[in-house]
Amino acid sequence: MNIIDKVMELFVHYGHRIYFGEAVTQREHALQAATLAEENKGSASLITAALLHDIGHIINISESPAAESLYADTADDLHEEIGYRWLSVHYGPEVSDPVRLHVPAKRYLCAIDEDYIKLLSKTSVRSLHGQGGPMTSGEIKAFESEIFATDAIAVRRWDDEAKDPNRKTPDLLHFRIYLDAAFNESAC
Ligand code: FE
């Protein structure tokens, strides 16, 4: 099975799970983030990264039902690293790095923008601590030196916004074209 069929299958089987502590499901959250990326004229790779930024949560749930309750207790499930490792087998860093960096991007924004934390959901504020809290000045420098830091910040902001239970989006099939295009770009 290729990566894109596997992504579709994961969302079919696990996308209806609630996005931990939020008012949307994993699928709704992913689709809202991808829709925001598309509305903001993101590249196919960036839209793919937005859609799949939390694929690590879904992989965790698919491999161990206990992962769901673990995360619900605000433990850090390292989903950004798991998603990154899974995606980087098939996609280039333009997709996998924003996924890896979307949690550091939250810690970065908390450190450099005092208003940012007010935008976060309660669950996101709670998980911040387990993720290391706001970045130190050394971590800020290291984050800013990442090639895909700007893309990671964009994904992070769409992630934070993608929790609206009333927002309508295109379905998963609409985004398949971007998954294909990003895959083909990575293969070049
Ligand atoms: Fe998310």
Side-chain angles (χ1 to χ4, degrees):
M1 186 183 286
N2 69 34
I3 175 87
I4 296 162
D5 289 335
K6 183 69 190 168
V7 164
M8 296 289 156
E9 188 190 83
L10 283 171
F11 274 107
V12 166
H13 284 108
Y14 303 101
H16 64 283
R17 301 297 184 95
I18 209 75
Y19 180 49
F20 315 105
E22 309 287 358
V24 290
T25 65
Q26 293 282 346
R27 180 166 44 231
E28 286 165 342
H29 177 60
L31 290 172
Q32 287 186 25
T35 300
L36 289 161
E38 188 183 47
E39 286 173 358
N40 283 278
K41 313 249 176 298
S43 64
S45 296
L46 194 52
I47 294 168
T48 299
L51 183 74
L52 302 181
H53 74 276
D54 278 342
I55 197 74
H57 280 321
I58 296 181
I59 292 166
N60 276 342
I61 295 168
S62 74
E63 289 176 353
S64 157
E68 212 160 9
S69 49
L70 181 78
Y71 191 80
D73 289 340
T74 73
D76 185 6
D77 69 349
L78 299 177
H79 71 284
E80 70 279 16
E81 287 292 336
I82 288 158
Y84 165 74
R85 267 182 258 137
W86 195 77
L87 287 169
S88 59
V89 175
H90 305 279
Y91 282 109
E94 61 282 358
V95 172
S96 59
D97 266 9
V99 172
R100 173 173 64 84
L101 293 170
H102 83 277
V103 172
K106 170 171 127 184
R107 297 184 55 226
Y108 173 77
L109 288 167
C110 283
I112 62 136
D113 176 358
E114 61 182 28
D115 291 329
Y116 172 73
I117 200 160
K118 296 180 202 153
L119 302 173
L120 294 178
S121 68
K122 276 190 197 137
T123 304
S124 218
V125 172
R126 241 185 309 149
S127 60
L128 173 67
H129 195 64
Q131 291 161 338
M135 282 184 170
T136 62
S137 54
E139 289 172 324
I140 289 171
K141 266 198 197 126
F143 180 82
E144 287 174 344
S145 72
E146 292 275 0
I147 295 171
F148 293 99
T150 305
D151 284 352
I153 290 167
V155 168
R156 181 71 232 176
R157 291 202 180 270
W158 297 326
D159 177 6
D160 296 329
E161 226 187 291
K163 299 173 179 179
D164 179 350
N166 300 312
R167 184 172 176 130
K168 296 275 172 278
T169 67
D171 65 14
L172 204 52
L173 273 184
H174 169 83
F175 292 101
R176 189 172 175 131
I177 189 171
Y178 299 116
L179 298 180
D180 280 326
F183 181 77
N184 291 331
E185 274 169 25
S186 298
C188 289

